[in-house]
Amino acid sequence: MIPFLDLKAPYLELKQELDEAIARVVSSGWFIGGEEVDQFEAEYATYCGAAHAVGVANGLDALHLALRAMDVGPGDEVIVPSNTYIATWLAVSQCGATPVPVEPDARSYNIASALIEAAITPRTKVILPVHLYGQPADMDPILALARKHGLRVLEDGAQAHGARYKGRRLGAHGDAVAWSFYPGKNLGAMGDGGAVTTNDPQIADRLRVLRNYGSRVKYVNEIQGYNSRLDPLQAAILRVKLAHLDAWNARRRAIAQLYQDGLTGSKLTLPHVPAWAEPVWHLYVVQHPKRDALQQALTDAGVGTLIHYPIPPHLQQAYAQVGWRADAFPLAHRMANEVLSLPMGPHMPTTQGSQVLSALLRSVGADD
Ligand SMILES: *Cc1c(COP(=O)(O)O)cnc(C)c1O
């Protein structure tokens, strides 16, 4: 059996360092904020090439609080991809604002920058691209549009820790980047965690107040804030893992290369990597018109796969009140029916990669 992702392996590789980090926090008696969180924030900001990192409780809160820090509220519109994890949309809705979906580029799966301008209205406040599957979105045209129309740019980096756009790591291309440290992400905690990186001192300052009950000084509350803090245990764990992130991303790249080499010329549509992109392969996603049969054949062959994502946000019950038609966003709809994520992770042996390849080539062949 080849699992889609092995979440025990990272602990086994770093057991001693992680056990020490956990023991350090437990024996310190300091369980909210403090040194570990401050240190992780400093180290992650440096890693991302950003002036500030602010830890929060999870990726959804990172998106939501970053939008709040940008003053997004009722009546505002935020441009989002039509094909993303629903968190990107929910963060906008939690502000009382409206997510305005824009279709992806059919090859890169990231928001099609050429379609964004038509979606801008006098109510638009923020453009929210997602670096989907670990591949950077095309930031320069998005930033140019934002400058032209006086908009903010918040990036959803939940799947792209360490990815580079035109040679520079993600972290401060737009006004802010929201990160998730959910266990399965490229930089994953042993529980929930999140952060926002930014070069804007005002956004960083607002986030620090928002995440802590709207308070800077204990029992003095400036605004109606939230409780959304990064746990020091998770911060200590993340500090250990951050030191290994580049090496782990390199191992993902090797698996992606194996897939790319083995599947070129097959009937599968493979990920397209633009010349300026250095993706970190959070997911390796192939596309096939008979996706469900292919997934079943792989399951039968003992290969674990997942679908990211089976239902696009506009067709979720959660957004039924908007009344979107299924064909309102045909590309997002088609992706939901045709994409398949192959096993991928830094601890996946290359022998398993080869087994995935042969099972895949057998199945695709049998399908013709
Ligand atoms: C994981 C993810 C999130 C949400 O992160 P959580 O930590 O689970 O709240 C947001 N956006 C995208 C694209 C994600 O993949």
Side-chain angles (χ1 to χ4, degrees):
M1 201 46 211
I2 298 173
F4 174 72
L5 173 67
D6 181 353
L7 281 175
K8 271 188 250 170
Y11 173 63
L12 297 178
E13 181 185 333
L14 304 177
K15 186 174 184 327
Q16 197 182 336
E17 278 180 87
L18 287 167
D19 285 348
E20 280 167 17
I22 292 164
R24 190 170 70 232
V25 176
V26 172
S27 59
S28 76
W30 196 279
F31 301 124
I32 297 290
E35 189 65 15
E36 295 290 344
V37 176
D38 293 348
Q39 290 295 332
F40 172 70
E41 288 179 342
E43 289 159 14
Y44 195 59
T46 302
Y47 178 84
C48 292
H52 312 273
V54 181
V56 295
N58 55 60
L60 174 58
D61 282 3
L63 289 162
H64 171 218
L65 298 188
L67 290 170
R68 295 256 175 203
M70 294 175 180
D71 270 328
V72 172
D76 293 332
E77 292 176 356
V78 175
I79 291 176
V80 296
S82 58
N83 63 317
T84 180
Y85 181 54
I86 196 168
T88 319
W89 288 40
L90 290 177
V92 177
S93 302
Q94 286 182 358
C95 294
T98 304
V100 175
V102 167
E103 285 263 84
D105 173 82
R107 294 178 75 204
S108 74
Y109 301 140
N110 276 321
I111 194 164
S113 39
L115 302 180
I116 291 177
E117 195 157 30
I120 295 174
T121 76
R123 292 172 181 268
T124 308
K125 205 144 187 184
V126 175
I127 305 174
L128 206 177
V130 178
H131 304 298
L132 197 69
Y133 306 152
Q135 169 120 255
D138 193 3
M139 291 305 296
D140 281 348
I142 295 172
L143 295 170
L145 275 176
R147 268 194 303 275
K148 179 175 164 194
H149 293 273
L151 308 174
R152 299 280 217 165
V153 176
L154 170 63
E155 302 160 61
D156 183 338
Q159 303 188 355
H161 317 74
R164 289 173 189 265
Y165 175 70
K166 297 189 177 171
R168 189 176 139 220
R169 261 204 204 109
L170 299 179
H173 288 80
D175 295 284
V177 186
W179 304 94
S180 163
F181 305 124
Y182 181 81
K185 309 290 187 184
N186 289 42
L187 179 59
M190 290 175 156
D192 277 312
V196 178
T197 53
T198 180
N199 279 342
D200 183 330
Q202 201 188 0
I203 289 177
D205 182 65
R206 286 181 167 194
L207 282 164
R208 290 182 196 285
V209 174
L210 279 164
R211 71 173 173 182
N212 189 37
Y213 288 106
S215 169
R216 222 179 277 273
V217 176
K218 208 169 168 76
Y219 304 130
V220 180
N221 301 84
E222 301 167 24
I223 54 169
Q224 294 174 7
Y226 302 84
N227 176 356
S228 181
R229 299 175 292 220
L230 178 63
D231 188 316
L233 258 177
Q234 302 304 339
I237 288 161
L238 289 166
R239 290 181 68 195
V240 172
K241 289 191 168 181
L242 179 59
H244 299 270
L245 178 58
D246 285 342
W248 288 4
N249 281 342
R251 291 196 229 154
R252 288 175 181 270
R253 195 156 55 240
I255 301 284
Q257 191 64 52
L258 188 80
Y259 286 155
Q260 193 82 22
D261 294 344
L263 298 173
T264 299
S266 77
K267 294 263 160 80
L268 295 166
T269 304
L270 303 183
H272 167 70
V273 182
W276 40 257
E278 289 173 59
V280 288
W281 303 106
H282 174 59
L283 299 170
Y284 190 92
V285 176
V286 297
Q287 201 177 331
H288 192 273
K290 294 183 186 158
R291 187 271 316 278
D292 291 341
L294 181 60
Q295 184 176 37
Q296 188 57 54
L298 288 171
T299 305
D300 295 344
V303 175
T305 58
L306 289 176
I307 296 165
H308 298 91
Y309 294 92
I311 307 173
H314 76 283
L315 298 181
Q316 295 283 359
Q317 179 87 46
Y319 284 99
Q321 78 282 3
V322 184
W324 294 112
R325 290 164 45 133
D327 60 3
F329 304 104
L331 268 176
H333 197 203
R334 195 176 87 204
M335 284 182 66
N337 291 320
E338 297 190 356
V339 294
L340 187 66
S341 305
L342 304 184
M344 168 57 77
H347 297 86
M348 186 177 158
T350 39
T351 49
Q352 285 191 356
S354 310
Q355 286 171 262
V356 174
L357 278 180
S358 38
L360 206 47
L361 291 171
R362 266 198 315 274
S363 315
V364 179
D367 214 42
D368 293 331

